[in-house]
Amino acid sequence: MVNVFISYARKDSADESLRLYTDIRARGIRAWRDQRIDPTADFTGEIENAINEATHVIVVVTSDLKRADSFVRLEIGYALMQKKPIIPLVFPGGHRPIVIINHTYINFADWDAGLALLVRRLNNPNAEEIDPQSQRDHEIAYLQTIGQKYDHWRDLYTDMAATARLEEQKVKLKPATARTIEMRHAFHQHINHSLDAEKGVTVKTENLDELLEGLRNHRRVALIGDPGAGKTTTLERLAYEYASAAAEETAEPYHRPLPLFVRLGAYTGEDFTQFLEVGFGGLHLREYLPKRVVLLLDGLNEMPPAHHTKLEAWLRSHRDVAVIVSCRKLDYVERKLPLQRVDLQPLDLERIRLFMSNYLEDEDRDTLFWALAGYDARRAWTWYQQVAKDATYREFFTGEDKPGPNWIPELILLDKLRQSLREQHTLPDMLGVVTNPFLLQIVIEIFALSGEPPRSKGDLFGRFVALLLEERGKTAVRPDRAWINEATQNRALAALAYRMQSDQTGTSVNADFVLAAFRQAVPEADATLLLYFAVSARILEQTDTVRFNHQLLQEYFVAYEMDEDLRRGVPASKYFPSDEWWTATGWEEPALLLAGVRGEATQVAEWLTPVQPDLAYRVATESGAACANSALKPLYEPAPGARRSPYAVAEWGRLNHEHDRRPGVGLRPDGLPDLAWCDVPAGKFLYGQDTQEREITYNFKIAKYPVTFVQFQAFIDSGEYDDPRWWAGMPDAYQRQPMAEQYNPYRNHPRDSVSWYQAVAFSRWLDAKYRAAGLIGKDVEIRLPLEWEWEYAARGSDGREYPWGDGYRVGHANLNEQEQGVGPYFLCRTTAVGNYPQGESPFGVRDMAGTIWEWCLNDYLGALLVEYYNIYAVKVVRGGAFTDDQRYARPAYCGYDSPSTSADAFGVRLVVSVPVASLISGE
């Protein structure tokens, strides 16, 4: 019984297909038509079943069928695979695609006539393809074969069929997408055989149309690229495009060339013209030379060298024949053919995403894309989405906007990423590895199999290398080149990478260096064969030197060797021997990869913590491998005298901010701020940048820490913030000055964004509350410090340059060490108070260098001018902030600002000292 599947384009033939469906069924013929309400839903399985059950497939040919993403083309491809009779119904403006150009069509310009002919064909079917009679018929039949063979709309089915390991995929690959991508190319203006694709004058093309235009101008070219760069795919696409163009000619004389795709690896030395003619579909090649054929010769590097001269001789004797020869870059250097060179360019950021989109749904694409982009890029992207309106990934990578202050850590990461992309064309992290289509394909397959993005680079590279050896290495086996087991190859590559790192050779070495490393590591294996398989697998690249395909691959194998040291109990000080342990040694990235190689970060972090706690913390939190809390505890809360990671300690302060029970950080049981005081005895000290000696004749107390967020919030939440007593004497405009939002809203961080007026109001409120509670005596008051009190508490009596002594010491304060190159740290935010015990002053006071500027009571131009609150005179600030370099953190440095300023880097520290009024009257 006749059962018809109707294939149509929803965009411009929905009405025609519905009418056709109705008319056919009215004549007693069963029909199936896609009637999805949601055209974006995945309907593939039902469509495939309907085609399988159909006796005929009717294709409604309208102009929309030309679209590259037309679903009809996919249905045609599947029907051809199932060998279903196909009847094209050509409507005005429609053109049959090349894959069915040899099928007998029905003209539907007249509906009734077309329908009558269709019904007769269905009830009395004849041969569905034209039996070639004329020369042109034979050409059309050949061109249809080319179209069906290289139609990328069929790649969906052939890819899924050929990739058996994806049967158990956890991430669903798109079942209805053309797996194509517009590759970029660089046309060399002069014949060029160098290894450098950019050497000489080149013209870049961005898509297939531009490539075809370039080929019209340069009829004889060599298509050059790395293994897996897309050379064969490009030739197949060209074959399809040339065949489509040739098939569209409808009248003699025919001028457009017919494509002839040939794999050079199959050549065995016979007459070269006869070799070519075998693949020409029964046509006689000599009748089409030189103008009506374009030769697409794939794999010059796969052609036996002994036959190379025959190809070159043929090309020289047929100078007018259009020819495109593909070859690996390395091999083309040695096979200098008289051809214009075209280099396949690596995938850029846009093409990587498009490539992923061809296989993955948007959500899965984004998951994988950002996993490959790396920790820093993900962190910056998460922030950017929050602060930039309608953020897009293009704006993120290529924009020039700066949505926030320059010191925001995520903005700093973004600026570095953009600069690297703009100036060095360097993609972040693993995105730089997958600029090769083959390697990106492998990563997508790994993602589809595992159902989750790579947990770590080490884990991904382990599977990545295994697939490279399986899919590229093993295919290079020859009768005289027997396979070497993977474990041996891995050991050899690890030894090579480790020696390159140890000897600081850079990323390239000569072949003798490689062979020597291999022989020393695995003397039982043939070093030359090891090199051969590593190059074949695209783990190594060999030109006049040898290098790993990507530096991350080299570092992965270094980690492989580093793992042996960890197992043997070799201390991490072997890699980080300096007392200046924060200084980069080049072993950092392998250590991060090591956690992924091992599948867990705990032992690696514990191994590194005594020696390099910064790196240990990165391993524990950035490597992607699981890490036990037991390994994090000594990083969060280092033992006295142990090396400290400011990053880890700062993070612990944030994580623990609601449970920080240290005295002086939170609130008393009665809800008042619980300030811890440090005693400062009367004495002489060196004051100011001119180091004049000064004497303080009274004892006083100063808060151990700046006032914290939760402590200042007690004032705001008390219901007394607006009490006029606290604001007396201040300008009318700043009576009850509204508080700015806390920039770092953690209970144990300093209260930031405080103006001088607000600081004074807080001190008056706290003085009244402490006095009422009997916590201070009548002869003292709680207030802001005078600047000399502050400086004496920070410097002590010996005139030291910093609270801890003379000279800046790395990691002793929360400030911008990078600005002046004195250290590696710039945390870009405040930290929990007291985080830097090593930066403590002689009197036990903490955080007096960096973190946050602290208001002093007096005017900048007069140390005792404190009673004139309403004249807007600038006030003193001391200590520097996390945004500043070490020069501003010296206790002798005196800054100033308007008392109304509530910048995010301004905070409060209090003293219990003699009343200012008595000091003024004493003067």
Side-chain angles (χ1 to χ4, degrees):
M1 181 177 180
V2 177
N3 182 14
V4 172
F5 177 95
I6 301 175
S7 179
Y8 69 99
R10 300 178 70 90
K11 184 175 180 180
D12 67 354
S13 57
D15 292 341
E16 289 84 350
S17 66
L18 178 59
R19 181 180 176 186
L20 184 65
Y21 173 80
T22 303
D23 287 355
I24 288 175
R25 289 175 60 87
R27 287 160 176 77
I29 298 173
R30 291 181 57 191
W32 190 95
R33 172 181 175 272
D34 174 8
Q35 301 182 66
R36 287 173 293 168
I37 296 175
D38 178 8
T40 64
D42 182 8
F43 216 50
T44 309
E46 189 168 345
I47 289 175
E48 290 182 359
N49 289 335
I51 293 175
N52 290 336
E53 294 174 0
T55 59
H56 296 74
V57 172
I58 293 175
V59 177
V60 178
V61 180
T62 55
S63 59
D64 191 62
L65 198 55
K66 292 181 178 180
R67 281 194 306 116
D69 59 347
S70 170
F71 205 95
V72 176
R73 289 175 174 264
L74 293 167
E75 294 171 343
I76 292 172
Y78 189 72
L80 287 169
M81 288 188 65
Q82 302 305 313
K83 300 186 180 345
K84 297 293 181 178
I86 296 176
I87 304 175
L89 309 184
V90 180
F91 286 79
H95 297 278
R96 285 170 294 163
I98 188 174
V99 293
I100 55 172
I101 200 167
N102 207 37
H103 286 63
T104 304
Y105 71 94
I106 298 175
N107 189 334
F108 253 71
D110 182 323
W111 183 277
D112 293 336
L115 180 63
L117 182 56
L118 173 61
V119 172
R120 288 198 299 272
R121 283 273 302 277
L122 291 174
N123 290 324
N124 186 22
N126 297 313
E128 296 299 329
E129 296 189 20
I130 301 170
D131 184 18
Q133 301 294 326
S134 66
Q135 178 78 0
R136 184 56 177 170
D137 290 341
H138 283 283
E139 289 178 1
I140 291 296
Y142 167 71
L143 293 172
Q144 177 173 282
T145 301
I146 293 292
Q148 292 178 359
K149 187 173 184 180
Y150 299 124
D151 179 19
H152 289 278
W153 305 110
R154 296 178 65 228
D155 279 358
L156 162 67
Y157 304 103
T158 56
D159 284 353
M160 294 296 285
T163 313
R165 62 177 171 276
L166 292 183
E167 290 177 357
E168 300 300 323
Q169 64 196 50
K170 303 293 178 56
V171 172
K172 186 175 182 180
L173 298 182
K174 278 186 177 178
T177 296
R179 305 267 173 91
T180 62
I181 188 167
E182 297 286 4
M183 299 293 294
R184 296 184 305 156
H185 305 80
F187 275 88
H188 290 256
Q189 297 301 88
H190 306 287
I191 291 177
N192 186 310
H193 299 95
S194 70
L195 288 171
D196 185 1
E198 298 298 322
K199 189 174 181 179
V201 180
T202 62
V203 176
K204 300 291 177 62
T205 69
E206 294 293 331
N207 52 50
L208 186 64
D209 288 340
E210 292 182 11
L211 174 61
L212 288 168
E213 179 63 29
L215 293 174
R216 280 190 283 272
N217 297 327
H218 304 283
R219 289 170 48 80
R220 294 162 65 85
V221 303
L223 184 65
I224 307 303
D226 291 321
K231 299 180 296 298
T232 299
T233 301
T234 298
L235 288 186
E236 290 176 350
R237 289 202 68 187
L238 290 172
Y240 183 87
E241 295 298 328
Y242 282 120
S244 296
E248 288 176 359
E249 287 192 295
T250 58
E252 297 186 81
Y254 302 112
H255 298 290
R256 293 176 183 172
L258 279 61
L260 174 52
F261 184 98
V262 176
R263 299 190 186 277
L264 291 175
Y267 182 61
T268 58
E270 64 270 32
D271 178 82
F272 197 73
T273 301
Q274 292 179 0
F275 166 70
L276 295 174
E277 194 171 84
V278 170
F280 205 28
L283 300 174
H284 300 294
L285 180 59
R286 287 179 176 82
E287 296 177 7
Y288 292 83
L289 293 174
K291 299 294 188 180
R292 283 214 62 216
V293 67
V294 55
L295 302 182
L296 307 174
L297 308 182
D298 189 35
L300 177 62
N301 49 283
E302 299 174 10
M303 190 178 196
H307 302 323
H308 176 256
T309 55
K310 293 187 178 182
L311 169 61
E312 184 175 1
W314 194 94
L315 291 174
R316 291 187 185 279
S317 64
H318 296 78
R319 294 181 181 274
D320 294 330
V321 177
V323 60
I324 305 172
V325 180
S326 73
C327 187
R328 289 186 181 182
K329 185 188 300 182
L330 171 61
D331 298 279
Y332 190 66
V333 174
E334 302 168 357
R335 295 165 169 81
K336 300 181 179 180
L337 296 176
L339 304 172
Q340 204 75 26
R341 174 170 169 172
V342 179
D343 283 275
L344 274 163
Q345 301 291 287
L347 299 177
D348 58 12
L349 198 66
E350 185 73 16
R351 285 167 174 80
I352 289 174
R353 281 184 64 91
L354 286 173
F355 194 105
M356 290 181 177
S357 295
N358 285 342
Y359 288 84
L360 302 170
E361 300 295 344
D362 288 353
E363 183 178 352
D364 292 326
R365 176 205 62 203
D366 289 343
T367 297
L368 180 59
F369 179 85
W370 290 108
L372 296 177
Y375 176 84
D376 286 347
R378 288 196 301 275
R379 176 181 169 188
W381 171 241
T382 300
W383 166 80
Y384 188 76
Q385 288 177 294
Q386 297 170 351
V387 299
K389 185 178 180 181
D390 300 324
T392 67
Y393 90 93
R394 292 185 186 89
E395 292 168 348
F396 173 79
F397 281 104
T398 63
E400 297 183 358
D401 58 322
K402 293 189 175 183
N406 288 336
W407 47 262
I408 292 178
E410 291 80 6
L411 181 56
I412 293 172
L413 291 174
L414 177 58
D415 284 344
K416 289 180 179 178
L417 186 153
R418 285 173 170 175
Q419 182 179 6
S420 180
L421 185 61
R422 182 173 57 251
E423 297 179 4
Q424 287 86 41
H425 306 289
T426 302
L427 299 182
D429 213 69
M430 282 288 291
L431 287 178
V433 178
V434 296
T435 57
N436 178 286
F438 169 70
L439 300 183
L440 180 53
Q441 173 73 43
I442 287 181
V443 170
I444 291 172
E445 291 181 6
I446 290 173
F447 179 47
L449 276 172
S450 64
E452 59 184 12
R455 294 183 298 275
S456 69
K457 285 184 285 189
D459 168 57
L460 177 61
F461 270 119
R463 292 184 284 173
F464 191 63
V465 168
L467 275 174
L468 286 175
L469 291 173
E470 180 69 26
E471 297 200 358
R472 290 282 175 162
K474 283 188 175 179
T475 58
V477 170
R478 300 289 184 270
D480 59 339
R481 298 175 184 179
W483 181 245
I484 299 173
N485 71 72
E486 290 87 338
T488 301
Q489 293 191 57
N490 282 330
R491 289 206 316 275
L493 290 165
L496 170 62
Y498 189 85
R499 183 175 169 188
M500 290 172 67
Q501 184 87 0
S502 299
D503 293 359
Q504 298 182 345
T505 64
T507 56
S508 298
V509 293
N510 59 46
D512 290 339
F513 184 99
V514 177
L515 296 175
F518 285 172
R519 291 184 184 113
Q520 183 177 359
V522 284
E524 71 277 10
D526 184 330
T528 304
L529 266 185
L530 287 167
L531 177 57
Y532 166 75
F533 284 124
V535 171
S536 298
R538 211 173 183 273
I539 294 170
L540 296 180
E541 291 182 354
Q542 185 176 16
T543 56
D544 51 340
T545 60
V546 180
R547 64 186 296 273
F548 280 86
N549 175 265
H550 194 281
Q551 188 173 353
L552 281 173
L553 261 178
Q554 178 178 334
E555 289 167 336
Y556 164 77
F557 281 107
V558 172
Y560 196 97
E561 187 73 9
M562 188 184 279
D563 186 42
E564 293 302 312
D565 275 346
L566 193 155
R567 294 178 190 277
R568 291 191 295 264
V570 176
S573 56
K574 171 183 176 180
Y575 300 97
F576 309 99
S578 174
D579 288 338
E580 296 183 351
W581 49 268
W582 52 84
T583 303
T585 66
W587 297 98
E588 289 78 11
E589 189 63 32
L592 283 168
L593 287 164
L594 176 57
V597 169
R598 295 177 64 89
E600 59 86 28
T602 302
Q603 286 186 293
V604 182
E606 291 172 344
W607 183 56
L608 291 167
T609 293
V611 175
Q612 226 292 24
D614 282 342
L615 185 56
Y617 179 63
R618 292 186 63 199
V619 165
T621 58
E622 296 179 24
S623 69
C627 185
N629 289 333
S630 59
L632 283 165
K633 183 173 176 58
L635 292 166
Y636 286 150
E637 301 178 272
R643 293 177 175 178
R644 303 169 62 88
S645 167
Y647 302 113
V649 176
E651 179 63 14
W652 179 240
R654 290 188 286 270
L655 293 173
N656 192 48
H657 78 107
E658 292 185 349
H659 308 285
D660 194 335
R661 303 289 184 253
R662 290 175 296 157
V665 175
L667 303 177
R668 292 161 38 89
D670 60 7
L672 292 176
D674 174 31
L675 273 61
W677 303 102
C678 296
D679 292 318
V680 183
K684 296 180 180 181
F685 66 103
L686 295 179
Y687 174 63
Q689 299 192 67
D690 55 1
T691 62
Q692 58 179 299
E693 185 175 76
R694 183 160 189 144
E695 183 177 6
I696 291 182
T697 59
Y698 51 87
N699 301 332
F700 66 95
K701 299 177 185 291
I702 189 167
K704 187 179 184 72
Y705 311 118
V707 172
T708 63
F709 176 41
V710 68
Q711 290 171 339
F712 202 101
Q713 195 64 31
F715 172 41
I716 298 172
D717 295 340
S718 66
E720 300 178 326
Y721 182 80
D722 293 338
D723 193 319
R725 288 178 295 169
W726 323 135
W727 307 92
M730 298 181 191
D732 291 341
Y734 296 101
Q735 293 285 334
R736 305 163 186 80
Q737 183 183 9
M739 292 296 299
E741 185 177 353
Q742 170 84 357
Y743 190 79
N744 289 287
Y746 300 98
R747 293 166 60 91
N748 58 3
H749 279 226
R751 204 327 166 170
D752 58 47
S753 308
V754 180
S755 74
W756 183 86
Y757 294 127
Q758 293 163 338
V760 169
F762 174 77
S763 70
R764 290 173 173 176
W765 172 79
L766 189 64
D767 178 84
K769 294 301 178 182
Y770 264 44
R771 198 173 299 281
L775 298 175
I776 57 173
K778 295 180 180 180
D779 56 344
V780 293
E781 66 179 359
I782 293 178
R783 56 172 169 79
L784 299 183
L786 298 167
E787 66 172 300
W788 67 74
E789 294 172 334
W790 191 98
E791 184 172 338
Y792 179 36
R795 298 180 72 180
S797 58
D798 57 7
R800 60 184 60 190
E801 185 181 12
Y802 290 95
W804 53 81
D806 288 334
Y808 183 75
R809 299 177 190 173
V810 173
H812 275 50
N814 179 17
L815 43 79
N816 185 355
E817 296 182 348
Q818 299 172 7
E819 179 72 22
Q820 295 289 313
V822 297
Y825 299 113
F826 180 24
L827 274 60
C828 306
R829 64 186 68 188
T830 60
T831 57
V833 297
N835 257 19
Y836 293 84
Q838 68 274 40
E840 196 172 83
S841 86
F843 302 115
V845 191
R846 296 188 183 179
D847 304 326
M848 300 198 82
T851 297
I852 199 161
W853 287 102
E854 299 175 4
W855 288 109
C856 291
L857 186 61
N858 55 279
D859 296 354
Y860 180 71
L861 297 178
L864 287 178
L865 294 178
V866 297
E867 72 273 31
Y868 304 113
Y869 293 116
N870 63 353
I871 62 173
Y872 302 98
V874 294
K875 306 297 182 180
V876 170
V877 288
R878 291 291 191 113
F882 64 91
T883 56
D884 300 306
D885 63 55
Q886 80 286 353
R887 296 172 299 175
Y888 302 98
R890 292 176 296 112
Y893 181 84
C894 183
Y896 60 89
D897 215 313
S898 166
S900 62
T901 299
S902 56
D904 48 31
F906 284 20
V908 189
R909 188 189 298 266
L910 299 177
V911 295
V912 177
S913 188
V914 297
V916 172
S918 66
L919 292 176
I920 295 174
S921 62
E923 287 284 311

